[in-house]
Amino acid sequence: MQLRACALLVVTGFGCAAKAPAPAAPIQPVASLAPRAESEQAPDLSPVAAPEDLILVGRLSRPRAFVETVAAWSGFPIHVTDLLPSDAKELVNVVAWDAPVEIAAVLDRHSAEKVAAPQFIASLGVASLERGLALAKEKGLTPTRVAPSVYRVQLHDDAYCALGAALGAAPARLVCGADWQSVEELLPYALRGLPREDLGRSELTIELRPSPIQQRYAQEIGALPLFVGLGLRQIQTDSPRVDRALTDAAYALAAELKALALEVDHLDFHARLDESGKALELGYGLGFSKKNSFVAQVIEEAGQHSTLPPDVFWTLPSNAVSGAYSVGMEPKRVAPLLSSASEILDAY
C-alpha cells in the first residue's frame, strides 16, 4: 500500500501544499422508520442546532469500507465485525456498519472545578430501533423509555447509553458516554443534529472548535505568565546568569503559548481513501484568527514558500516505505531560538 500524507509541522516549520476535500451535500433525513407500537407516539425528528459550547466533532463516514479496505491493503484482511469484543458479538446484525460513527464533546456545564474535563459522547448507527430494543431485552438490559422512540440502556457500570430514532443515514442510533448526564444533554444533538453536520467528503474527519474554550478560560489563559513566574522560583540555581537566561526563555515561551491559545481558530484532521490508487491520504488544517504568535507567523511563511517536490522525490527506490519533502524556516525566525538556547547552555 502506498501511503501519502500531507501535514505541517508547526515547531520546525515544515509544510506541504494540499487541496482541501470538496464539501459534501448534507445528509438527508430518513423518511420513515420501522413500524412502531400503536401506543408509541411519533418520534421527534425535528433538526437540532449545534450546542454553543461544542468543542469537538468527529465522523468515520464508512466504518466497514474504511476498516476493511485499509486492512486489505496492509495484508491483514479482517472484517469490521471482527473488532467487536466477544461479549458484544450479538451486535453484528443490529449495527448499521455502513452508517457513520460519530463523536462530539462540549464543555462541562455543571462542574465546580476550575478546569473540568469536557462532556463526551460517541454515536453508532443502528439498523432498526425495534431490533436494538429486542436485543437489549434479550440481554436483560431492560430499556427505559425517556421520550417517544428514545430509550435509556445501561450497558455496563461505566457505559451509559441511549437508543433512539435518528436523522441521517441510520434510522436509529446508540449514543453512549461516561455518565448519563452527558448522554442526556447531548442526546438531541447526537440523534438529530450531528448526523446533519457537513464535515466534508473524507472517510475520517475530526474537528476541534476552540472558541468556547477561549471564551470560558480566557482568564486562566491570560494568567500563564504568572504561573511560569511561580514555577521559576522552584528551579532557581546559584548562578544569576543561568537564572536570568532561563527566566527570559520561560517568559517568552509563556507569552507564545498564551498568544497561540487565543489565536487558534480551528484545527481539523482528515483521512481519505483513494481506492483507485490504493492510498490513504492524510491531512490537517490549522487556522488562526490573528497572526501575533511565533507559530502562526512560521506557518504563514511556510505556506507562502511551499512548492512542489523536485523530480527526484518521485524517483524513490521501489522498496522505499516512506518519503518526505519540506521547506525550512527563514533564518531570521530561527535566530532568536538559537540565541536563547546558546545563552542557556553557555551560562550553564
Side-chain angles (χ1 to χ4, degrees):
M1 180 190 72
Q2 177 189 7
L3 179 65
R4 298 201 300 265
C6 174
L8 186 64
L9 186 57
V10 297
V11 177
T12 59
F14 294 153
C16 63
K19 183 178 180 181
I27 300 174
Q28 297 299 319
V30 175
S32 62
L33 295 171
R36 58 180 181 275
E38 291 288 338
S39 59
E40 181 69 70
Q41 300 177 18
D44 182 3
L45 292 179
S46 58
V48 174
E52 292 183 357
D53 52 358
L54 184 70
I55 60 173
L56 179 75
V57 291
R59 175 181 295 152
L60 180 59
S61 61
R62 298 188 299 159
R64 187 197 303 273
F66 188 86
V67 172
E68 296 182 2
T69 300
V70 173
W73 290 347
S74 302
F76 300 98
I78 61 174
H79 297 288
V80 67
T81 54
D82 296 334
L83 302 179
L84 288 173
S86 57
D87 59 350
K89 292 300 183 182
E90 297 88 349
L91 293 174
V92 168
N93 297 320
V94 175
V95 174
W97 297 107
D98 295 318
V101 175
E102 299 173 333
I103 60 172
V106 297
L107 295 178
D108 195 315
R109 305 165 182 177
H110 309 284
S111 176
E113 298 180 16
K114 194 71 172 177
V115 179
Q119 294 177 295
F120 178 90
I121 57 95
S123 173
L124 189 68
V126 176
S128 164
L129 178 60
E130 287 70 21
R131 285 162 60 183
L133 291 173
L135 177 60
K137 294 176 181 178
E138 181 183 327
K139 299 293 291 183
L141 298 178
T142 315
T144 304
R145 185 177 180 274
V146 296
S149 297
V150 179
Y151 297 82
R152 176 175 177 174
V153 182
Q154 184 75 36
L155 295 185
H156 300 288
D157 292 339
D158 56 351
Y160 298 81
C161 300
L163 182 65
L167 295 177
R173 286 195 160 272
L174 180 67
V175 182
C176 298
D179 57 79
W180 175 245
Q181 188 175 65
S182 298
V183 175
E184 186 176 32
E185 293 188 359
L186 287 173
L187 187 57
Y189 176 66
L191 295 176
R192 298 181 277 126
L194 183 55
R196 301 174 65 252
E197 290 273 8
D198 182 4
L199 300 183
R201 294 185 179 275
S202 297
E203 272 71 25
L204 174 64
T205 302
I206 299 175
E207 291 186 4
L208 175 65
R209 303 176 180 180
S211 179
I213 300 175
Q214 294 165 344
Q215 294 176 15
R216 178 175 296 189
Y217 297 113
Q219 184 176 354
E220 286 76 11
I221 295 173
L224 276 173
L226 175 61
F227 295 141
V228 169
L230 295 175
L232 286 171
R233 296 180 182 179
Q234 308 300 319
I235 60 172
Q236 288 183 338
T237 69
D238 295 330
S239 171
R241 186 184 174 194
V242 171
D243 292 340
R244 184 169 57 253
L246 288 175
T247 298
D248 292 344
Y251 276 115
L253 178 60
E256 172 64 18
L257 293 176
K258 175 183 173 181
L260 190 60
L262 294 174
E263 292 177 5
V264 174
D265 181 67
H266 70 270
L267 174 63
D268 63 82
F269 170 83
H270 58 266
R272 187 181 72 86
L273 290 176
D274 179 2
E275 298 183 60
S276 61
K278 291 187 177 181
L280 177 63
E281 298 180 350
L282 307 176
Y284 71 82
L286 180 61
F288 298 87
S289 58
K290 299 179 182 179
K291 298 181 177 66
N292 296 326
S293 67
F294 173 82
V295 171
Q297 294 171 10
V298 167
I299 290 177
E300 182 181 34
E301 291 180 358
Q304 294 172 350
H305 298 159
S306 293
T307 60
L308 293 174
D311 293 340
V312 67
F313 177 81
W314 306 108
T315 59
L316 293 171
S318 59
N319 59 348
V321 296
S322 65
Y325 169 73
S326 63
V327 178
M329 289 187 292
E330 291 283 349
K332 63 180 182 180
R333 292 291 179 195
V334 185
L337 301 179
L338 296 178
S339 177
S340 180
S342 175
E343 174 62 18
I344 292 174
L345 291 175
D346 188 55
Y348 179 78

